[in-house]
Amino acid sequence: MNLQLVTIFILINYCLAVKDYLFKSCNQNGFCHRNRHYANQISLDSNFQSPYYIDFNQIKIDGDKLRGTVLKIGFDVKFPFEISVIENSFRFQLDEIRNPIEHFVNHNRYNETSKWAFNKDLSNDKADYKINDDQILMTYSDNHEVIINLNPIKFTFYYKNEEVLLINDKQFLLVEHQRSIENNKLLPQESSFNMFSDDFKDSKSDKLPLGPESIGLDFTLLGFNNLYGIPEHADSMLLKDTSGKEPYRFYNVDIFEYETDSRLPMYGSIPLLTAVKKDVSIGIFWVNSADSYIDIKKGKDSTIHWISENGILDFIIFIKDTPKEINQVYGKITGFTQLPLLSSLGYHQCRWNYNDIKDVLEVSAKFDEFEIPFDTIWLDIEYADNKKYLTWDPQNFGKPDEMLEVLERTGRNLVAIIDPHIKTGYFVSDAIISKNIGMKDNEDNTYRGHCWPGESIWIDTLNPKSQKFWDDVHKTFMISDNHKNLHLWNDMNEPSVFNGPETSAPKDNIHYGQWEHRSIHNVFGLTYHETTYNSMLSRLPEQRPFILTRSYFSGSQRTAAMWTGDNMSKWEYLKVSIPMILTSNIVGMPFAGADVGGFFGNPSKELLTRWYQAGIWYPFFRAHAHIDSRRREPYLIGEPYTSYIRDAIKLRYSLLPIFYTAFYQASISGSPILKPIFYDYYNSTNSNIFEIEDEFFLGDSGILVKPITDEEANEVEFVLPENEIFYQFTNGIIGDKINSSKFKVGINDIPMLLKGGSIIAKKERYRRSSKLMKHDPYTLIIALNIQGYANGQLYVDDGESIDSEFKMINFEFENGKLSVNSTGDFSLPIEIEKAIIVGANEVDPELGPVTIEDEKLVIKNPRVIIC
Ligand code: NOJ
């Protein structure tokens, strides 16, 4: 190869691969390097005795809380701590008494992550403590006990008298206390790597005004090998052992062209890890918004080493019987996912960019011409005047109100993007500067960096003063209150900074409260989309806002949907989207999707078709493409693929009542919309159940799905839980009880099964959008189990208002009879036009009459079809 060719080859590879040299590995990141080093040294020394201990003399019981101080042998430092019980779960918070410094930065450990992540008004629950010379015995809730060893510190958790969790058993506890470069005494096991400066090439200017401040701790889960959660990573659902490899990292970043099978950080982070075994599930919720890493050592028992760059040490332990109960308690603390607009569960058509109003309306009309339903069309950054968000480009989007009106006629919505980087030199950025509500640099001046519009500043949504300003500019931008069909997309809110270290803001930037960006980095995206949410509410207080966010944290589920960012038009990205979305569901952020078709590149017709067929299962179902990708609206693909895609989208629409019911359940209990098999079958003797990441249930409906994610696949094989019967349900058409879990599939097939014992309600008429389906009747599918029994639920409300009247309908089929009862009150008649019963001939060929116990439920002599 000549030199020129070699250069081209290198460049091509360079451009295709994720630019991982932009991101710090653990070894390059001072605090991670030091904590791993410490853990390694300790693991090599069996005589090591941790210097941290609880001072017996300072322990105080204050109502249901226990307070005390941790000391460190050989060092003059004090770490006050508090133990409490929140939502019947154990919480530990440890701070440090620190001296003021001569710098404008807040010198305390950041303790406000929970302020952003948690629901408001949480109260503490009861706990009892018995204190001995060397131990505290704590009991709380039913069946929970903790023995806290004072020296060395160690927590042993018992659930129903079984020992299930140890904390600091490995003695990895490290709290890097306040110190100066001149007076920096270390333990022999500690490393001093990058304590006061950062030698990573892009963050050399980090002033680290507070020096080293990291925290690290180990958790050993006894008898647990199945670990889940801690998104966002483009990786398997079941967490991997990271010994000798890169740990999982949490640092919300704009990871350009990310790779699959990777523990590199991505756009969001949810620091909840769930461990599941027979009859016990444990959640570890690490309440910290700083850069963090998680090392995992798996075995019969598994050890997690959790490390964060700074902040207080704050974690909550959930111990329950089932993973669903972990969702419930985590949701009570951080909020359940909002019940979304029903229309936001329809299909979203996006690309970067629709060129002008004419283009938008033509796309909308084309969907109708081809009889493909869709609910929402999206505008990416080019709609704004020169990327000055909160303005409309006067040439191409001069009359947005007219566009909204035309879309409204077919019940459709528009979503417009508004990013947190604000171009300098126009009224929005001028006001942010004059009101002093921008993010600051390390000299306390408004920070300037680069993003899509060129030089930009960032609104600091941690500043309470930002809210009113944001409300006002949104009211003007979103035209008049008459347009209820305009919603928003908050992108690039990690925040993405093109010329910043690791594509984000410098860690020594400053936010409201003089907190360093270092401390709040992972929660910044949440503060931004939550401020937008409040602005939307201030404009239309009765309507549920819809916001899509790219960056997220624990608590984001209350106000936004997320998607997995810039994937590629390749089969492996279609495949990984399923475990990624399942993981999001496991950690209580179920309103999740991935760009259908892949963001970068041009998918083959087969890949695009398969992606739509998988995408209809994403709770958030949107096609999106990069500005350089060819147009690929489904009607452009050509037959027979357009028809296959139409069929897939129509199937999604027919299942909207089931999605909506699942969302209602998620909004009150945190239960997943896409539910991994192990959720209901954690007691199965088939240990494979815990690994299945390409198959899932749709909520509690009993619909089991296995999307096709392999090129040229012509066969599918389900892994089925034991002791259940399943009916063939491919493409939503109910068939016979299956005898084999393996069957042939064509390119137009969407493999689905329906579990015996389920009743589901579908809507089968084609309409142009979900709003136009409002009055359509339902078809019930009643799939009986071996005892001839089935049940199911249907949630109905107006689909848009925050306090809508509603009806929750319970269907039950027993002894050959269907009975229907409901709670709530909803004035629109609910009509069931057809009921299909499968499996009945095995139990009771003489079906009894349908019993109606609800006057307002109109069942107009449904046609009953018995198969
Ligand atoms: C990055 C987002 O991930 C992508 O979806 C969007 O199209 C571009 N920003 C442009 O706004």
Side-chain angles (χ1 to χ4, degrees):
M1 246 191 268
N2 66 30
L3 189 62
Q4 214 177 358
L5 270 179
V6 171
T7 318
I8 291 172
F9 180 76
I10 291 173
L11 268 178
I12 289 173
N13 273 310
Y14 196 67
C15 295
L16 288 181
V18 64
K19 299 187 171 46
D20 54 1
Y21 62 88
L22 287 174
F23 302 101
K24 288 176 176 172
S25 65
C26 173
N27 221 13
Q28 294 168 314
N29 210 346
F31 75 95
C32 186
H33 180 113
R34 299 194 297 271
N35 274 270
R36 241 193 181 185
H37 176 91
Y38 186 63
N40 287 340
Q41 295 301 306
I42 291 167
S43 308
L44 295 174
D45 177 1
S46 53
N47 294 323
F48 177 79
Q49 165 92 38
S50 168
Y52 296 97
Y53 68 99
I54 294 174
D55 181 7
F56 175 80
N57 297 319
Q58 296 193 50
I59 298 173
K60 279 194 199 69
I61 295 174
D62 179 2
D64 291 309
K65 294 184 176 176
L66 183 140
R67 297 208 170 88
T69 305
V70 168
L71 302 176
K72 186 172 181 181
I73 297 167
F75 295 82
D76 183 19
V77 286
K78 287 196 177 68
F79 304 108
F81 73 88
E82 180 180 297
I83 291 174
S84 57
V85 179
I86 178 171
E87 289 303 335
N88 290 314
S89 301
F90 174 95
R91 182 176 187 190
F92 183 79
Q93 289 162 283
L94 178 137
D95 203 341
E96 177 188 356
I97 296 177
R98 292 160 75 120
N99 298 318
I101 58 163
E102 281 179 20
H103 193 280
F104 51 78
V105 67
N106 192 326
H107 66 278
N108 292 311
R109 287 184 172 269
Y110 185 62
N111 61 0
E112 294 186 359
T113 303
S114 57
K115 179 182 116 182
W116 295 107
F118 289 13
N119 250 339
K120 307 282 168 277
D121 306 326
L122 289 166
S123 56
N124 286 110
D125 296 313
K126 266 212 79 45
D128 285 317
Y129 305 92
K130 286 201 183 71
I131 303 169
N132 303 326
D133 289 355
D134 55 359
Q135 276 188 342
I136 302 166
L137 172 66
M138 175 186 180
T139 47
Y140 66 96
S141 183
D142 282 344
N143 297 313
H144 291 74
E145 254 177 44
V146 193
I147 294 178
I148 303 163
N149 252 51
L150 305 190
N151 189 6
I153 301 174
K154 180 174 160 183
F155 301 75
T156 307
F157 286 75
Y158 295 84
Y159 180 58
K160 297 185 176 169
N161 298 321
E162 181 193 343
E163 195 177 321
V164 289
L165 170 71
L166 307 173
I167 300 182
N168 203 34
D169 181 51
K170 307 284 184 245
Q171 309 196 64
F172 294 168
L173 173 66
L174 185 67
V175 186
E176 292 184 320
H177 56 267
Q178 193 180 25
R179 64 192 80 188
S180 65
I181 206 163
E182 298 77 31
N183 184 5
N184 183 16
K185 182 170 131 193
L186 296 175
L187 295 172
Q189 293 78 8
E190 278 184 277
S191 145
S192 63
F193 176 71
N194 274 359
M195 278 189 152
F196 294 91
S197 61
D198 190 342
D199 67 6
F200 184 69
K201 60 183 177 48
D202 293 336
S203 34
K204 289 202 166 109
S205 61
D206 184 352
K207 294 193 172 157
L208 284 147
L210 296 164
E213 313 175 79
S214 76
I215 49 173
L217 185 61
D218 59 274
F219 301 83
T220 300
L221 294 144
L222 301 173
F224 291 87
N225 189 251
N226 303 308
L227 313 177
Y228 308 94
I230 57 166
E232 185 177 17
H233 302 98
D235 207 8
S236 56
M237 176 179 81
L238 195 64
L239 298 176
K240 293 176 176 152
D241 190 304
T242 59
S243 317
K245 305 190 195 111
E246 265 311 285
Y248 290 86
R249 184 176 178 201
F250 279 148
Y251 194 60
N252 295 356
V253 286
D254 184 354
I255 182 155
F256 180 73
E257 296 186 346
Y258 63 81
E259 276 170 3
T260 60
D261 188 17
S262 161
R263 266 66 62 209
L264 284 182
M266 292 185 67
Y267 312 96
S269 18
I270 298 189
L272 172 66
L273 183 142
T274 301
V276 181
K277 69 174 182 182
K278 196 164 184 265
D279 292 332
V280 190
S281 288
I282 296 187
I284 303 171
F285 180 24
W286 179 267
V287 189
N288 190 296
S289 46
D291 191 0
S292 304
Y293 288 83
I294 301 152
D295 251 327
I296 298 179
K297 173 109 195 72
K298 288 175 78 169
K300 200 172 116 315
D301 305 327
S302 298
T303 296
I304 316 297
H305 183 197
W306 214 310
I307 307 164
S308 289
E309 184 167 12
N310 71 1
I312 61 166
L313 175 62
D314 185 357
F315 61 86
I316 303 178
I317 302 295
F318 309 123
I319 310 180
K320 298 281 173 189
D321 291 347
T322 67
K324 242 187 182 171
E325 288 171 89
I326 305 279
N327 289 123
Q328 173 100 36
V329 60
Y330 171 79
K332 281 188 179 157
I333 293 173
T334 61
F336 295 117
T337 193
Q338 63 164 357
L339 179 64
L341 288 173
L342 175 56
S343 64
S344 67
L345 303 186
Y347 171 60
H348 297 259
Q349 180 62 49
C350 187
R351 76 167 277 111
W352 178 12
N353 219 97
Y354 289 113
N355 303 327
D356 50 26
I357 292 186
K358 188 164 160 279
D359 193 10
V360 167
L361 298 180
E362 267 172 21
V363 170
S364 179
K366 276 279 176 206
F367 269 85
D368 295 342
E369 185 186 326
F370 281 80
E371 299 199 347
I372 305 171
F374 94 94
D375 268 73
T376 308
I377 188 155
W378 289 56
L379 293 179
D380 209 320
I381 49 176
E382 315 297 333
Y383 81 87
D385 180 13
N386 271 308
K387 303 191 178 67
K388 291 183 258 169
Y389 309 120
L390 299 151
T391 69
W392 299 88
D393 178 85
Q395 293 236 291
N396 299 320
F397 291 92
K399 293 188 173 157
D401 43 344
E402 287 182 17
M403 170 173 56
L404 288 165
E405 243 170 72
V406 178
L407 289 171
E408 181 60 42
R409 280 183 219 146
T410 45
R412 290 188 175 134
N413 305 315
L414 182 77
V415 170
I417 197 167
I418 298 186
D419 292 349
H421 52 260
I422 308 290
K423 187 177 170 76
T424 50
Y426 79 110
F427 70 93
V428 180
S429 43
D430 292 349
I432 291 174
I433 295 170
S434 69
K435 287 177 190 295
N436 203 17
I437 52 173
M439 172 168 62
K440 306 290 172 47
D441 63 18
N442 61 12
E443 292 183 342
D444 223 12
N445 301 314
T446 302
Y447 171 72
R448 286 163 198 257
H450 276 79
C451 208
W452 297 126
E455 190 190 67
S456 305
I457 61 169
W458 277 259
I459 178 152
D460 181 12
T461 39
L462 280 90
N463 190 330
K465 278 205 292 179
S466 294
Q467 186 68 64
K468 168 83 176 62
F469 168 71
W470 212 232
D471 294 353
D472 293 346
V473 280
H474 276 74
K475 271 191 191 136
T476 319
F477 166 73
M478 295 180 84
I479 323 159
S480 78
D481 296 354
N482 294 337
H483 298 295
K484 290 171 123 191
N485 58 338
L486 177 56
H487 301 280
L488 299 177
W489 176 12
N490 286 168
D491 187 20
M492 314 292 280
N493 50 339
E494 295 74 26
S496 171
V497 181
F498 293 163
N499 61 337
E502 303 193 83
T503 71
S504 194
K507 286 181 169 173
D508 55 358
N509 271 4
I510 302 291
H511 292 264
Y512 176 76
Q514 299 305 113
W515 294 112
E516 274 197 287
H517 184 76
R518 192 185 321 279
S519 316
I520 66 91
H521 175 85
N522 286 339
V523 85
F524 177 78
L526 177 149
T527 70
Y528 179 64
H529 72 71
E530 209 161 86
T531 305
T532 302
Y533 181 89
N534 293 335
S535 296
M536 289 178 76
L537 268 190
S538 82
R539 174 176 173 260
L540 290 176
E542 263 126 54
Q543 182 176 275
R544 301 170 210 164
F546 170 81
I547 298 170
L548 178 71
T549 180
R550 193 171 71 175
S551 178
Y552 57 92
F553 190 72
S554 293
S556 283
Q557 71 276 4
R558 295 186 299 258
T559 52
M562 61 70 75
W563 92 110
T564 63
D566 299 348
N567 58 3
M568 299 177 110
S569 300
K570 294 183 178 176
W571 288 92
E572 68 257 36
Y573 288 82
L574 165 59
K575 198 182 267 298
V576 80
S577 70
I578 309 290
M580 288 178 80
I581 292 172
L582 286 175
T583 296
S584 218
N585 276 265
I586 293 171
V587 297
M589 181 92 203
F591 202 4
D595 285 348
V596 170
F599 180 66
F600 291 113
N602 297 298
S604 68
K605 293 181 185 207
E606 183 192 352
L607 174 58
L608 188 64
T609 304
R610 288 300 190 201
W611 214 316
Y612 270 97
Q613 293 170 339
I616 64 163
W617 303 107
Y618 298 161
F620 169 62
F621 174 31
R622 183 187 75 156
H624 184 38
H626 187 268
I627 198 162
D628 296 331
S629 300
R630 287 195 287 275
R631 295 286 282 239
R632 51 166 113 118
E633 288 69 25
Y635 50 81
L636 294 176
I637 308 309
E639 291 301 348
Y641 299 96
T642 294
S643 290
Y644 300 155
I645 295 173
R646 177 196 297 115
D647 291 347
I649 299 178
K650 280 186 172 171
L651 176 59
R652 165 71 171 223
Y653 275 78
S654 73
L655 302 175
L656 280 181
I658 304 168
F659 273 93
Y660 198 50
T661 302
F663 264 101
Y664 173 71
Q665 280 152 348
S667 76
I668 57 167
S669 73
S671 56
I673 308 294
L674 295 197
K675 187 173 62 172
I677 315 280
F678 75 81
Y679 255 68
D680 292 332
Y681 300 97
Y682 48 82
N683 280 345
S684 169
T685 49
N686 176 0
S687 57
N688 287 342
I689 289 286
F690 291 100
E691 293 174 18
I692 296 170
E693 59 172 27
D694 54 358
E695 210 180 292
F696 49 81
F697 284 103
L698 173 54
D700 291 335
S701 68
I703 298 177
L704 183 63
V705 183
K706 180 161 183 161
I708 298 207
T709 56
D710 290 313
E711 195 168 9
E712 293 177 5
N714 54 15
E715 193 172 73
V716 68
E717 181 165 12
F718 279 83
V719 174
L720 296 177
E722 305 135 20
N723 307 324
E724 302 282 8
I725 59 167
F726 284 88
Y727 296 88
Q728 183 51 266
F729 197 34
T730 292
N731 299 329
I733 299 163
I734 194 72
D736 292 339
K737 197 174 97 184
I738 55 161
N739 299 319
S740 161
S741 55
K742 196 177 191 174
F743 49 90
K744 293 265 169 250
V745 285
I747 173 74
N748 53 342
D749 284 332
I750 303 175
M752 302 161 61
L753 300 175
L754 184 59
K755 190 171 90 174
S758 317
I759 302 182
I760 56 168
K762 296 170 73 190
K763 282 194 172 182
E764 301 200 308
R765 296 201 184 10
Y766 157 70
R767 304 282 176 193
R768 284 172 291 180
S769 70
S770 68
K771 281 192 197 147
L772 305 179
M773 295 166 72
K774 198 167 189 158
H775 302 284
D776 286 350
Y778 294 90
T779 291
L780 291 189
I781 298 180
I782 303 171
L784 302 185
N785 68 11
I786 219 77
Q787 288 82 31
Y789 177 85
N791 67 15
Q793 291 196 315
L794 170 67
Y795 174 82
V796 186
D797 68 8
D798 72 9
E800 56 187 349
S801 39
I802 287 182
D803 288 318
S804 169
E805 48 174 24
F806 71 95
K807 201 179 260 300
M808 180 52 128
I809 305 165
N810 295 297
F811 300 103
E812 195 169 24
F813 190 96
E814 200 169 16
N815 300 325
K817 282 192 188 136
L818 174 71
S819 59
V820 184
N821 62 65
S822 65
T823 53
D825 210 1
F826 185 58
S827 44
L828 269 189
I830 297 165
E831 186 187 326
I832 293 167
E833 63 171 351
K834 194 166 34 162
I836 302 174
I837 305 173
V838 284
N841 47 2
E842 286 180 17
V843 258
D844 183 2
E846 303 278 309
L847 281 176
V850 170
T851 315
I852 304 168
E853 289 173 14
D854 193 307
E855 291 154 19
K856 286 204 186 113
L857 196 78
V858 184
I859 302 198
K860 281 192 188 156
N861 297 324
R863 272 188 302 133
V864 179
I865 303 166
I866 304 165
C867 309

